[in-house]
Amino acid sequence: MPQVQEILYDSLRANIVDVARRRIFSAELYWRDGVITAITELGGEDAGLSYLLPGFIDAHVHIESSMLTPAEFARIAVRHGTVAAVSDPHEIANVLGLEGVRFMLDNARQTPFNFCFGAPSCVPATPFETAGASLDCEQLEGLFQAGEVAYLSEMMNYPGVLARDPAILAKLNLARRYGCKIDGHAPGLSGREAAHYAAAGISTDHECSTLTEADDKIAAGMHILIREGSAARNFEALHPLISRYPDKVMLCSDDKHPDELASGHIDRLAARALQHGHALFDVLQCASLNPIRHYGLAVGQLRVGDRMDAVEVGDLKTLIPLKTWLAGRVVSEHGKSLLPTVIPQSINRFNARKIQASDLAITAGSEKIRVMQAFDGELQTREILLAPKVSGGYIVPDSDRDILLLTVVNRYRPEKPAVAFIRGFGLKQGALASSVAHDSHNLIAVGADADALCRAVNGLIEQRGGIAAVQDDRFDCLPLPIAGLISDRDGDFVAHRYAELDRIAKRLGSSLKAPFMTLSFMALLVIPELKLSDQGLFDGRTFQFTDLSV
């Protein structure tokens, strides 16, 4: 582990926010070798002192979605008072299998940040797409035996859980045998089905979008993770849970792109909760204490004998971090990260063939076609039936009606691309493309015309992964050489370049808050209704392929 810049502190006078005991008092806090050795109370809250809180924790995040390595994610996150993240490495596992998981583990060891990694439970996520790898029970057990993972990551195959699929039950039993928690992923599941899902030993869910759904899952014994990511944003719908069930709620980002991570993390979510009128200790319990208790994290809670993991803030309304400590060392001060940059090695798997406009041609035949309707801030889509625009006997995009061309191209072997049509992106010209396409991470692209879409896809194939935008004859790209998911550059560069591409997407006409993040989920088959895999148009309600034509 690299040495962090030494700050000659072994004591601090501050208002201590004791979340477990729900009290605030002024004190002198002492630590040695990263561990708190004494807390000397000085009296009640002192208005002249800053406040020391347990550090914030992201209770569920895919580090890969930040397009940063774990060490680089940590460099940015500590600026916001984050000291730990519960992370599922299933994105890179879908590309590289155990090699990808071990890349994440090895890179994370090079930073003092607290990472809690899970064993990916659904690689591949479904049998209806091409992934780069698969992880079976034997491989997962190797991770548990070595102590490299601390929980079973989100069980997305909830139909398999409810149907008591033997392969799924074997993974659940494996986690229970090692005394580990099991994370859930069951969008829309409620009532008796939610109860049966929880009864399989699944203890969390981060996919709730309504209070009714969350109430049912909490009644079944589950913890609810309120998610506010770059695409899926459920905080406004779910924040009443913070006051109603402060011991059953955690905060998470799930998927957060680099520009948004650079501007804020769990600290901003906690501040929003306070603005909504939730009590300070309820909010901090959800933002720090509950993840520690649920996952058994070795993260300090500002008690004697704990690691000195903490964040200092100037006030208890805005929660703006002044300093962040990890194991007794200041790792961020006034918005500047003091953690060193770790130069990673690049690993990848990429064998796609370039495409041409004729590969995307669809002969007209029916009066209506199935079109995917995407929504801002949502992973779910809707199926809508529309009359297609036809030219020269072929169905073509219709930007006037926001009916755009969508394609998924197999990145692991040369195959013909899958094609569909989508509304909601709003592009008037050009195309967007990405090798980040949950969960198998084939190439996905959306465009106002076939030629622009081909230029976007083929440019990424030359780069062996990244995100890209095509505007007129210009090709702009953020290369992602690590598994086609992660940059090898520093977090500020990645955030800046991503923001530039986001602005280009909006100049092309997109009104989505996060067009690239939304695009990345249009191949996520486990989230209904319609999605597109490299093998074709897929109906997530029936878990079957469906035809474009009606």
Side-chain angles (χ1 to χ4, degrees):
M1 182 186 300
Q3 292 295 312
V4 178
Q5 177 181 339
E6 286 287 354
I7 307 294
L8 299 177
Y9 293 159
D10 59 4
S11 68
L12 175 72
R13 181 170 291 192
N15 289 307
I16 306 297
V17 181
D18 186 337
V19 178
R21 293 185 176 87
R22 296 188 164 231
R23 58 191 292 256
I24 300 173
F25 56 94
S26 59
E28 190 88 24
L29 184 143
Y30 301 87
W31 65 93
R32 181 177 180 182
D33 296 329
V35 175
I36 296 172
T37 56
I39 300 175
T40 303
E41 290 198 34
L42 303 175
E45 185 175 345
D46 185 339
L49 297 176
S50 58
Y51 295 84
L52 196 67
L53 319 175
F56 299 113
I57 298 173
D58 192 331
H60 174 78
V61 62
H62 304 284
I63 301 297
E64 304 96 310
S65 291
S66 70
M67 303 180 186
L68 305 175
T69 63
E72 199 60 30
F73 176 94
R75 287 188 67 249
I76 305 301
V78 295
R79 298 176 183 173
H80 310 302
T82 305
V83 299
V86 180
S87 178
D88 174 6
H90 79 201
E91 312 297 357
I92 198 167
N94 271 282
V95 178
L96 292 162
L98 283 180
E99 181 186 10
V101 174
R102 293 207 163 101
F103 170 87
M104 301 294 281
L105 295 168
D106 291 344
N107 185 268
R109 291 187 186 105
Q110 299 179 68
T111 173
F113 190 85
N114 299 287
F115 283 106
C116 173
F117 284 103
S121 67
C122 297
V123 177
T126 75
F128 306 107
E129 57 197 312
T130 304
S134 63
L135 292 179
D136 58 22
C137 241
E138 183 178 350
Q139 291 169 304
L140 295 183
E141 183 156 20
L143 293 173
F144 282 113
Q145 282 180 335
E148 295 179 302
V149 295
Y151 69 102
L152 185 67
S153 298
E154 54 184 304
M155 177 47 71
M156 295 183 292
N157 189 353
Y158 62 88
V161 174
L162 298 178
R164 301 187 63 78
D165 179 284
I168 299 300
L169 294 182
K171 293 179 180 179
L172 300 179
N173 290 334
L174 172 65
R176 286 197 292 266
R177 196 162 69 247
Y178 281 89
C180 294
K181 298 291 186 181
I182 303 169
D183 270 6
H185 169 118
L189 213 61
S190 60
R192 293 180 61 187
E193 288 188 326
H196 288 314
Y197 184 69
I202 297 167
S203 60
T204 70
D205 188 88
H206 60 272
E207 292 290 343
C208 290
S209 57
T210 69
L211 286 172
T212 299
E213 179 185 350
D215 283 338
D216 282 0
K217 287 174 176 170
I218 288 174
M222 301 179 77
H223 289 70
I224 300 302
L225 280 57
I226 297 179
R227 169 179 60 188
E228 192 76 356
S230 293
R233 300 173 184 271
N234 306 120
F235 178 83
E236 289 302 324
L238 299 181
H239 75 80
L241 299 172
I242 293 171
S243 294
R244 288 164 54 185
Y245 308 104
D247 61 333
K248 292 289 187 179
V249 172
M250 296 177 253
L251 305 180
C252 77
S253 62
D254 194 8
D255 294 283
K256 200 165 186 68
H257 268 184
D259 59 332
E260 291 201 357
L261 179 63
S263 64
H265 197 203
I266 303 301
D267 59 325
R268 297 305 89 213
L269 203 51
R272 278 175 64 186
L274 294 176
Q275 291 166 10
H276 279 72
H278 297 290
L280 173 70
F281 286 111
D282 288 346
V283 172
L284 296 181
Q285 180 170 348
C286 296
S288 59
L289 187 57
N290 287 346
I292 292 173
R293 289 175 171 174
H294 184 75
Y295 292 100
L297 304 180
V299 176
Q301 300 176 46
L302 296 181
R303 304 174 305 186
V304 173
D306 281 2
R307 276 177 39 134
M308 174 51 179
D309 299 323
V311 56
E312 181 186 8
V313 301
D315 65 80
L316 295 178
K317 292 182 179 179
T318 64
L319 300 181
I320 295 173
L322 303 176
K323 294 187 181 74
T324 305
W325 283 264
L326 286 171
R329 291 177 174 173
V330 175
V331 292
S332 175
E333 191 165 18
H334 299 294
K336 180 181 179 181
S337 180
L338 304 179
L339 289 172
T341 297
V342 176
I343 305 300
Q345 292 185 335
S346 292
I347 55 174
N348 207 345
R349 181 167 293 155
F350 219 98
N351 193 31
R353 74 167 175 86
K354 291 186 177 181
I355 63 172
Q356 52 192 2
S358 60
D359 292 323
L360 307 174
I362 301 175
T363 303
S366 61
E367 293 185 0
K368 290 190 174 182
I369 59 172
R370 290 181 172 87
V371 176
M372 295 166 57
Q373 175 69 59
F375 300 97
D376 202 10
E378 296 287 343
L379 306 189
Q380 297 192 29
T381 62
R382 294 289 182 268
E383 175 190 88
I384 54 176
L385 307 180
L386 297 173
K389 181 178 180 180
V390 177
S391 177
Y394 294 98
I395 301 174
V396 296
D398 184 355
S399 58
D400 290 338
R401 291 192 292 157
D402 189 25
I403 304 175
L404 303 178
L405 194 60
L406 183 73
T407 188
V408 175
V409 180
N410 189 319
R411 71 125 100 174
Y412 302 105
R413 60 176 183 263
E415 297 283 357
K416 185 175 180 179
V419 183
F421 290 88
I422 191 166
R423 290 184 74 179
F425 276 83
L427 300 183
K428 298 300 182 183
Q429 59 172 309
L432 310 176
S434 174
S435 58
V436 179
H438 305 280
D439 277 324
S440 293
H441 300 294
N442 291 294
L443 288 168
I444 190 167
V446 61
D449 66 84
D451 288 336
L453 192 148
C454 288
R455 290 202 303 276
V457 168
N458 293 338
L460 281 191
I461 290 173
E462 290 180 1
Q463 292 288 336
R464 292 175 60 80
I467 61 170
V470 165
Q471 183 179 22
D472 300 322
D473 293 328
R474 181 173 173 176
F475 173 83
D476 287 280
C477 175
L478 168 62
L480 300 174
I482 301 171
L485 303 175
I486 297 171
S487 174
D488 57 359
R489 302 289 297 273
D490 72 84
D492 290 314
F493 170 86
V494 176
H496 177 73
R497 185 62 176 140
Y498 177 86
E500 288 180 334
L501 288 164
D502 183 74
R503 287 192 290 270
I504 292 171
K506 289 165 182 172
R507 287 201 298 269
L508 293 174
S510 181
S511 60
L512 294 173
K513 182 173 178 62
F516 283 102
M517 182 66 87
T518 301
L519 179 63
S520 73
F521 285 105
M522 294 303 99
L524 184 56
L525 309 187
V526 296
I527 303 283
E529 294 179 352
L530 285 186
K531 294 293 169 68
L532 184 66
S533 90
D534 66 294
Q535 299 176 25
L537 190 61
F538 189 81
D539 189 327
R541 297 161 296 184
T542 62
F543 253 57
Q544 294 179 333
F545 288 107
T546 189
D547 294 326
L548 178 68
S549 299
V550 178

